[in-house]
Amino acid sequence: MENTDNIATSFDKLYKKAKDFTETSAELVALKAVDKLADVLSTLTAIIFIAIVVAMFTLFVNIGLGLLIGKLLNAYYLGFFIVSAFYLVLALLLYTYRDQLVKSPVANLIIKKLLKSKHSDLNIFDKLKNKHHEAA
């Protein structure tokens, strides 16, 4: 009878440890997903803000360039047409080579952020995981 009680107690302990491990693992996966998502979104947000500032700078430089070319040609509208033609050619080139110039670099950035090495920069979730394994 005592042997059966020991087996039941051992089984209960094993079940509790397995349940705790499963809950901890699920929590760790969720925390890692949040960490990766926050990293990707913060990087993309920073890139978007930088792009907006660069776009504003480019806008004003182009207005000045259009006015300068227009003054040199004695027709302001020609200066703006020339600057616009330059951007039309640039847009066509970007469209033609969009995979190499836009899609691949953005995809690689996202993949790099999602799969960053654990050893290059240990984050808090990796430290918690290591601490949990040492305690077990």
Side-chain angles (χ1 to χ4, degrees):
M1 186 71 169
E2 186 176 312
N3 194 18
T4 306
D5 289 338
N6 282 343
I7 292 173
T9 304
S10 296
F11 181 74
D12 287 341
K13 286 180 183 178
L14 181 62
Y15 175 77
K16 184 176 178 349
K17 284 188 178 193
K19 181 180 172 189
D20 290 343
F21 178 75
T22 303
E23 289 172 357
T24 303
S25 295
E27 211 172 291
L28 182 63
V29 167
L31 289 173
K32 280 186 174 185
V34 168
D35 179 46
K36 300 288 183 179
L37 181 63
D39 192 28
V40 168
L41 289 178
S42 64
T43 300
L44 290 177
T45 302
I47 289 171
I48 288 170
F49 282 133
I50 291 168
I52 289 171
V53 171
V54 169
M56 293 301 296
F57 170 78
T58 304
L59 173 69
F60 287 111
V61 166
N62 286 311
I63 290 172
L65 189 60
L67 289 171
L68 176 66
I69 293 171
K71 185 175 182 180
L72 294 174
L73 297 175
N74 292 323
Y76 287 112
Y77 66 92
L78 287 177
F80 286 102
F81 282 146
I82 291 170
V83 171
S84 297
F86 167 75
Y87 279 103
L88 178 62
V89 170
L90 184 64
L92 291 173
L93 286 172
L94 283 173
Y95 180 77
T96 303
Y97 298 105
R98 68 186 173 275
D99 288 338
Q100 298 92 344
L101 296 174
V102 179
K103 285 184 179 181
S104 294
V106 171
N108 289 338
L109 173 72
I110 292 171
I111 290 169
K112 180 181 173 185
K113 288 291 183 182
L114 289 174
L115 299 176
K116 69 180 176 185
S117 174
K118 293 179 185 177
H119 303 294
S120 64
D121 55 339
L122 283 176
N123 58 33
I124 191 165
F125 305 114
D126 293 325
K127 290 178 183 177
L128 287 173
K129 181 181 173 186
N130 291 338
K131 191 174 186 180
H132 177 70
H133 283 291
E134 290 171 2

